[in-house]
Amino acid sequence: MAPSGPGSVRRRCRRVLYWIPVVFISLLLGWSYYAYAIQLCIVSMENVGEQVVCLIAYHLLFAMFVWSYWKTIFTLPMNPSKEFHLSYAEKELLEREPRGEAHQEVLRRAAKDLPIYTRTMSGAIRYCDRCQLIKPDRCHHCSVCDKCILKMDHHCPWVNNCVGFSNYKFFLLFLAYSLLYCLFIAATDLQYFIKFWTNGLPDTQAKFHIMFLFFAAAMFSVSLSSLFGYHCWLVSKNKSTLEAFRSPVFRHGTDKNGFSLGFSKNMRQVFGDEKKYWLLPVFSSLGDGCSFPTCLVNQDPEQPSTPAGMNSTLKTPENHQFPAKPLRESQSHLLTDSQSWTENSANPGKGKAGMSNPALTMENET
């Protein structure tokens, strides 16, 4: 077996270093359990009823916090399906031909039957040169994971994982339960924190745990409340963190609300249709992560989204015109609660008109 090179050693060292924030959070969580459950509830509280109520509520929040944090860390990010990867022949063409019209033609042929509506800033098909695939809508290449991640939001060092389609709901619940956890600790610890400064506590080691516990809970409550509020706003607008900083580009141009379907449907896209699962860290998001309903006003003239040149639109009560049926129908009910997709024959000339659009270029994104 060949010895490991310097590059392999560096990669292993980086993988170990990436776990440091997770270890820090885990140690902090373990200490907070000891400080609250043992030193505060059992040692310092004198009222038995208060002890029981606080311990039950605390363990419920603690369990939900740990469960959602675990799911966020260890749920693998989803990658584009094989239909978005170039075939072996297409890869050979890209490698053999000089970059230019030949590359553009290969990408044009490969993308013509895929449910993609977003483009690069120059109006080109979004292509990942490292993964050698055509990026689905809302998919981005993570430089840390070195993979294309479906509906990538960001790479979070505190969970050592990419937050995307497969675990975004878990990440939101992790923020929610960690915020409730900190607020609960701060609220129930406050009276004992005041006693610490008024010399109302016995002179034991418990008083120092109580003091630092309140400081830590209050500090994290402030930071978590702003972060959780920001992500709630993103969900209400159906945006990812990346899309909030750089709006998606469609054929008709940049549209910061291109994927927004209204507050209720935006919520359901992340949390699912069954409300009984909303507060549990179990996967219930709608769709497959590769295609998303949009509220495009202008139809993409170059995207044949139905077979045999069929072209259809669907209007909601908000008078938005949606793209025709995508490759998958797993999210089509988001567009309307009572109507289904309809297909109407369109002018055959429309399919040919798209061929006169500007040539496509390749996008390298790290």
Side-chain angles (χ1 to χ4, degrees), residues 57-326:
Y58 172 80
H59 280 90
L60 179 61
L61 289 174
F62 181 83
M64 298 305 295
F65 179 12
V66 173
W67 187 9
S68 58
Y69 189 46
W70 177 276
K71 293 284 286 185
T72 308
I73 295 172
F74 294 105
T75 299
L76 295 177
M78 288 181 63
N79 311 119
S81 56
K82 62 181 181 179
E83 61 199 6
F84 290 90
H85 290 258
L86 297 183
S87 66
Y88 180 75
E90 290 167 339
K91 290 178 184 178
E92 278 195 330
L93 283 175
L94 288 179
E95 293 174 0
R96 186 169 60 247
E97 299 292 339
R99 291 182 181 271
E101 183 59 32
H103 285 74
Q104 298 161 16
E105 183 61 30
V106 171
L107 294 178
R108 189 181 298 118
R109 288 198 304 267
K112 65 183 179 68
D113 293 324
L114 295 176
I116 53 175
Y117 299 99
T118 55
R119 300 290 190 265
T120 66
M121 293 298 293
S122 61
I125 293 291
R126 302 192 316 126
Y127 177 75
C128 179
D129 208 16
R130 291 186 63 85
C131 299
Q132 294 186 312
L133 56 82
I134 293 171
K135 296 178 185 178
D137 291 344
R138 317 185 82 173
C139 173
H140 297 274
H141 187 91
C142 175
S143 58
V144 179
C145 301
D146 197 25
K147 295 177 181 177
C148 281
I149 308 299
L150 294 181
K151 197 187 176 184
M152 180 178 173
D153 188 86
H154 69 288
H155 186 94
C156 181
W158 298 106
V159 300
N160 190 28
N161 199 4
C162 256
V163 177
F165 176 75
S166 62
N167 62 350
Y168 187 63
K169 177 191 172 185
F170 307 149
F171 178 74
L172 282 172
L173 292 179
F174 158 62
L175 293 179
Y177 287 122
S178 59
L179 176 60
L180 290 175
Y181 179 80
C182 291
L183 289 174
F184 175 79
I185 289 177
T188 53
D189 187 30
L190 178 60
Q191 60 176 314
Y192 298 94
F193 177 75
I194 295 173
K195 288 181 180 180
F196 171 85
W197 294 105
T198 57
N199 296 320
L201 290 177
D203 192 14
T204 62
Q205 65 171 349
K207 63 188 298 184
F208 297 102
H209 286 286
I210 290 172
M211 180 187 67
F212 288 115
L213 184 64
F214 179 82
F215 274 126
M219 179 183 66
F220 279 102
S221 295
V222 173
S223 58
L224 285 169
S225 60
S226 59
L227 184 59
F228 178 64
Y230 175 68
H231 278 277
C232 287
W233 176 79
L234 289 178
V235 171
S236 70
K237 300 295 183 179
N238 205 340
K239 294 181 180 181
S240 66
T241 299
L242 294 175
E243 291 166 352
F245 283 95
R246 188 173 67 179
S247 300
V249 180
F250 299 87
R251 290 297 302 178
H252 67 278
T254 301
D255 190 343
K256 64 180 181 179
N257 296 315
F259 292 107
S260 181
L261 307 174
F263 179 79
S264 175
K265 294 173 184 178
N266 292 342
M267 289 283 293
R268 286 160 54 194
Q269 193 171 101
V270 174
F271 291 96
D273 287 327
E274 299 188 62
K275 294 184 179 180
K276 61 183 179 181
Y277 296 123
W278 281 17
L279 300 180
L280 297 177
V282 294
F283 186 82
S284 59
S285 302
L286 300 180
D288 56 9
C290 289
S291 59
F292 297 89
T294 66
C295 59
L296 294 177
V297 176
N298 296 322
Q299 181 83 12
D300 184 348
E302 199 172 272
Q303 183 65 38
S305 49
T306 54
M310 301 290 283
N311 193 0
S312 63
T313 58
L314 180 65
K315 292 190 177 181
T316 63
E318 294 86 358
N319 293 323
H320 282 311
Q321 184 174 345
F322 291 87
K325 185 170 76 173

Side-chain angles (χ1 to χ4, degrees), residues 306-355:
T306 54
M310 301 290 283
N311 193 0
S312 63
T313 58
L314 180 65
K315 292 190 177 181
T316 63
E318 294 86 358
N319 293 323
H320 282 311
Q321 184 174 345
F322 291 87
K325 185 170 76 173
L327 187 65
R328 303 168 186 80
E329 299 182 5
S330 54
Q331 288 186 322
S332 61
H333 68 286
L334 276 174
L335 302 180
T336 176
D337 293 327
S338 59
Q339 296 177 339
S340 59
W341 290 96
T342 57
E343 295 187 355
N344 299 316
S345 297
N347 190 338
K350 289 186 179 181
K352 298 178 182 178
M355 300 305 293

